[in-house]
Amino acid sequence: MMKLADDSQVTAFRTEFAAFLDARLPAEAEAAERSRSSAHVPDWARRWQRTLFEHGWLLPGQPPEYGGRNATPPQQLAHLEELAHRRIYHSFNPQGLGIIAASLLTFGTEEQKTRWAVPILRAEITAALGMSEPEAGSDLASLRTRAVLRGDVFVVDGQKIWTSGAHDADVLLAFVRTDPEAPRHKGISALLIPTDTPGVVRRPFGSIAAEDDLDFNEVFLTDVHVPRENLVGPLGEGWRVANGSLGHERTLLWLSYAERLEDLVRDAADAGGGHEWYATLQMDLQALRLLGHRGLGPGRDPAEISVLKLLGSEAVQDASLHALEAHGADALAHPVLTGPYHHMNNEAFVSSWFERYARSFAGTIAGGTSEIQRNIIAERVLGLPR
C-alpha cells in the first residue's frame, strides 16, 4: 500500500490532538442535556464546538479561519480516528457541519462564508438539508419545489420531506427548480432559506425507531421570499452543488461505518451465530478500513467512495439484523442501552437492538441509496454499459 505521509508527522499530529482532548474535554456532569434532533445542539455542545473551531481542531483540513490547520488527508483521518476511539460525536449538527458548511466553503461567496458558514461551524446557528421531496427521494432530478426569480428575490413554493432537524434549524440549504423548461438535471439551484422566513412551516414527525424520535420533518414552503444573495453557486448549477454536498458527506463517511462495526464487535459478541458470523463481521471491518485508507491516496477515482459507502452501510445493517434476531424479544425493549454510555457520543448508537437495526437503514438510504451506489460502481468503477 502507498505510504500517504511521513508517519512521524501523523503521530505528532495525533499526539497533539489527544493532549488537547485530555485538557479540554467537557466533564460528564456538564453534558447532562442531550440533543433532541440533528439540528438541536445543547449549550454545552455549542461551547465545545466553538472551542474546537478556535483551536483549529473542528475541521483540520480547512485553513485556520474556518476551524482548521491545513492538515493533510492522513492527518484528517487521524483526527477522526481519535474522536471515534474516544466515542466523541464530531458535531450534534452533523449535516450543518459536514454537508452545508462544507458546501458553502466550496461553492459559496466570501460573504456567504462569513455570514453563514462560519456561524454554522462555530455552532452559533444550526442548519438542515432540504433535498428530498414526496416524489423526489433519491431521485433529486425529479424535485418540484419551484423558485421564481422576481427582480432580486426568489419566490419559493413547494414541499420537502425527511428534512432532518428542520424544526430546530436556523437555516435550510434547499434545492429548488428555477428553470422548469430545462432538462431534469438542469435548471436546479441551491438556496439558503432562513427558517423564520414567512411561509416556512416545519412539522416534525416520529420515526420507526420511536414515536418521540422527532428528527424528520415535513417542510412546507408557500410564497417564501428569499433574496438572490442567498443563491449558492451559479443559477441553474444546483445539480453540481448537490453532488458536491453529497461528496462532502461521503468522503470519510466510511469511518463512521467502521465505528458502528467496532461497536457491534464489542456489543454483539454474545449474539451467537458461531465463528463464521463473527469472522465475517471482523473481515468486513478490516476490509472497510483497508479500502478507506487506500482511498486517501493520490489519483483515486472519487467514484470509489461508493464502494466504501455500499460495503460499510450494508455490513452494519446485516450485522445489526443478526444481533436483533439473536436477542429475540429482548431486542424490542425500549428505551434501553445495549452498549456503554459516553456523554460525548450520540446514545442512539447504543440504543435498543431494534433501534440500532432500524437506524441502519439511514446508512443505506441517505447520501445516495445502495441502488444508486451500485449504479455508480458499475458504470464509473467497473466501466459497465448503462
Side-chain angles (χ1 to χ4, degrees):
M1 184 183 297
M2 182 181 297
K3 189 175 182 181
L4 298 178
D6 183 75
D7 288 345
S8 62
Q9 294 178 0
V10 177
T11 299
F13 184 89
R14 188 191 298 270
T15 300
E16 183 183 356
F17 183 43
F20 170 84
L21 293 176
D22 289 339
R24 298 275 187 162
L25 205 63
E28 183 170 348
E30 183 183 348
E33 183 185 3
R34 308 311 297 167
S35 175
R36 297 190 300 267
S37 79
S38 56
H40 171 250
V41 183
D43 288 343
W44 68 266
R46 290 178 185 261
R47 292 193 298 271
W48 169 242
Q49 186 165 318
R50 282 195 293 272
T51 298
L52 289 170
F53 178 93
E54 289 164 358
H55 289 83
W57 290 118
L58 183 62
L59 295 174
Q62 293 291 341
E65 60 267 30
Y66 300 126
R69 49 184 60 205
N70 295 311
T72 64
Q75 289 172 330
Q76 294 172 53
L77 178 60
H79 168 263
L80 292 176
E81 287 179 335
E82 191 66 25
L83 291 175
H85 173 70
R86 294 171 180 250
R87 297 293 189 267
I88 299 173
Y89 202 38
H90 194 182
S91 170
F92 285 91
N93 183 208
Q95 289 89 357
L97 177 66
I99 302 177
I100 297 163
S103 297
L104 290 172
L105 295 181
T106 301
F107 299 102
T109 64
E110 291 304 312
E111 194 274 339
Q112 288 172 343
K113 294 175 185 178
T114 300
R115 182 181 175 188
W116 300 106
V118 170
I120 293 171
L121 294 172
R122 290 177 54 83
E124 294 165 352
I125 63 173
T126 61
L129 185 65
M131 276 191 173
S132 297
E133 298 185 2
E135 297 186 26
S138 296
D139 184 13
L140 181 67
S142 297
L143 69 83
R144 298 183 179 181
T145 295
R146 185 169 178 177
V148 178
L149 184 59
R150 297 176 182 169
D152 289 329
V153 173
F154 288 99
V155 180
V156 184
D157 290 277
Q159 181 185 353
K160 297 293 179 180
I161 190 70
W162 317 115
T163 313
S164 299
H167 61 300
D168 288 317
D170 298 295
V171 64
L172 301 176
L173 176 61
F175 291 85
V176 298
R177 188 164 298 283
T178 47
D179 186 353
E181 304 302 323
R184 281 171 18 107
H185 292 75
K186 304 290 184 180
I188 296 173
S189 300
L191 292 177
L192 288 164
I193 304 178
T195 55
D196 61 358
T197 305
V200 177
V201 175
R202 298 161 286 166
R203 296 179 183 169
F205 57 91
S207 75
I208 189 174
E211 187 177 354
D212 60 353
D213 175 41
L214 298 180
D215 192 32
F216 289 143
N217 277 250
E218 294 178 292
V219 179
F220 299 91
L221 305 160
T222 305
D223 197 32
V224 177
H225 287 57
V226 181
R228 181 168 183 156
E229 65 192 36
N230 287 19
L231 174 69
V232 179
L235 185 66
E237 292 293 325
W239 185 258
R240 184 164 66 92
V241 176
N243 283 328
S245 298
L246 295 177
H248 290 306
E249 182 181 22
R250 294 173 186 155
T251 301
L252 286 174
L253 188 60
W254 64 268
L255 191 60
S256 67
Y257 298 134
E259 187 178 357
R260 300 290 78 75
L261 289 173
E262 286 185 344
D263 290 345
L264 286 159
V265 168
R266 178 196 65 209
D267 302 333
D270 64 342
H275 298 303
E276 182 177 348
W277 172 80
Y278 193 73
T280 298
L281 177 58
Q282 292 278 17
M283 287 189 293
D284 285 343
L285 172 59
Q286 293 305 316
L288 183 61
R289 285 201 173 279
L290 290 171
L291 288 170
H293 281 264
R294 178 176 179 266
L296 289 175
R300 307 308 308 174
D301 186 345
E304 293 186 23
I305 293 173
S306 293
V307 176
L308 296 171
K309 184 182 187 300
L310 183 65
L311 169 61
S313 62
E314 297 205 344
V316 169
Q317 191 167 99
D318 291 344
S320 300
L321 176 59
H322 177 88
L324 170 70
E325 293 176 335
H327 285 89
D330 289 342
L332 302 178
H334 179 84
V336 66
L337 294 181
T338 53
Y341 172 79
H342 294 272
H343 67 283
M344 295 301 296
N345 202 7
N346 185 339
E347 52 267 35
F349 298 140
V350 291
S351 54
S352 71
W353 286 117
F354 169 75
E355 185 170 343
R356 288 173 75 160
Y357 174 61
R359 289 186 183 278
S360 74
F361 284 88
T364 57
I365 296 173
T369 64
S370 289
E371 291 77 9
I372 287 176
Q373 304 311 318
R374 285 186 167 87
N375 284 341
I376 293 173
I377 293 166
E379 296 172 14
R380 296 178 55 186
V381 179
L382 300 178
L384 298 177
R386 301 190 66 174

